[in-house]
């Protein structure tokens, strides 16, 4: 079946520009996570949704980062006024959580380069 | 935050078993051990998880020590496609966020 998809796969932004990254989770998956992965590091948690409710946004590094999932399926991570330190791979993951199925399925990520 | 300790890198010959250790001495009684791996330029992939008992699936086996302070992921017959970074994570809330460490970079060589 279809996995988690993310778009765009690559994004180059000039410093100060706003960007929007899209995540299409696996159909029926309740939970959706965003992670940020700097080069050579493990992924770091950004935020978590259960259906349309954003239950944890403790990992968002600044108020320039904003995420939404208005209908409980597709999610968008928006970064305003991008800075060079925002350059990273942004990973989206979804999980079913019912019937004990907690494993997270990850998309391929969006590589953001801020110049 | 939950913290695990893994070797930075390991090599394994193709066709041999790969044994990846993980120390999680701060694990509490209700925390699960999860393993994910990340092949280059891809998102992480779930491998296996366990609480107290050893577990096996089509990908790997997980051996958890009796005191639960460490575990070993076993890939019984490693192939070149198993070259990846392997992450060991312990988590209380199975439905919650994952806290990744640095992982072990496994290189399977012909």
């Amino acid at each position: 079946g279809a996995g988690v998809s993310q778009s765009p796969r690559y994004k180059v932004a000039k410093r100060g520009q706003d960007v929007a990254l899209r995540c299409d989770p696996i159909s029926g998956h309740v939970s959706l996570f965003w992670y940020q992965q700097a080069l050579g590091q493990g992924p770091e948690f950004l935020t978590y949704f259960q259906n349309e409710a954003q239950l944890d946004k403790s990992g968002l590094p600044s108020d320039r980062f904003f995420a939404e999932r208005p209908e409980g399926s597709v999610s968008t991570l928006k970064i305003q006024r991008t800075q060079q330190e925002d350059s990273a791979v942004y990973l989206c993951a979804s999980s079913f959580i019912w019937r004990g199925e907690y494993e997270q399925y990850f998309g391929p990520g969006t590589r953001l380069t801020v110049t | 935050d939950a913290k695990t300790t893994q070797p930075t890198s390991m090599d394994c010959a193709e066709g041999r078993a790969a044994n990846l250790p993980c120390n999680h001495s701060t694990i509490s009684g209700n925390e699960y051990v999860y393993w994910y791996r990340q092949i280059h330029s891809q998102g992480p992939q779930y491998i296996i998880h366990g609480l107290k008992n050893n577990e096996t699936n089509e990908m790997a086996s997980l051996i958890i020590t009796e005191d639960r302070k460490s575990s070993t992921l076993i890939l019984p017959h490693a192939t070149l496609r198993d070259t990846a970074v392997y992450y060991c994570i312990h988590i209380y809330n199975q439905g919650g966020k994952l806290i990744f460490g640095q992982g072990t970079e496994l290189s399977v060589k012909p």
Side-chain angles (χ1 to χ4, degrees), chain A:
Chain A
V4 177
S5 61
Q6 294 186 244
S7 61
R9 289 294 313 277
Y10 304 91
K11 177 70 178 177
V12 178
K14 293 189 175 175
R15 192 175 61 177
Q17 283 185 331
D18 298 348
V19 298
L21 312 180
R22 177 188 170 105
C23 172
D24 283 82
I26 294 173
S27 177
H29 276 197
V30 172
S31 292
L32 186 145
F33 301 82
W34 283 98
Y35 295 86
Q36 179 191 59
Q37 187 170 25
L39 190 63
Q41 304 294 316
E44 291 193 1
F45 169 78
L46 292 176
T47 187
Y48 159 60
F49 291 85
Q50 187 166 320
N51 296 308
E52 67 278 5
Q54 189 174 19
L55 299 186
D56 186 350
K57 52 182 180 180
S58 62
L60 296 176
S62 76
D63 58 8
R64 296 186 294 105
F65 286 71
F66 171 77
E68 60 183 5
R69 193 186 185 199
E71 297 178 357
S73 55
V74 171
S75 177
T76 303
L77 177 67
K78 297 179 180 178
I79 308 173
Q80 297 177 324
R81 304 181 303 281
T82 53
Q83 304 294 315
Q84 284 194 314
E85 61 263 28
D86 300 335
S87 295
V89 175
Y90 291 86
L91 295 160
C92 174
S94 69
S95 65
F96 187 51
I97 77 170
W98 307 123
R99 299 199 308 262
E101 296 178 15
Y102 296 106
E103 56 265 35
Q104 295 185 22
Y105 294 81
F106 283 79
T110 294
R111 181 177 296 278
L112 173 66
T113 303
V114 181
T115 61

Side-chain angles (χ1 to χ4, degrees), chain B residues 18-54:
Chain B
N19 296 281
L20 292 93
C22 177
N23 285 326
H24 31 81
S25 57
T26 61
I27 195 169
S28 63
N30 295 324
E31 287 188 313
Y32 290 77
V33 178
Y34 273 72
W35 283 81
Y36 282 77
R37 73 179 182 184
Q38 188 172 24
I39 295 169
H40 184 61
S41 296
Q42 297 184 20
Q45 175 192 24
Y46 165 80
I47 302 173
I48 197 168
H49 74 278
L51 180 61
K52 296 179 181 177
N53 300 322
N54 298 336

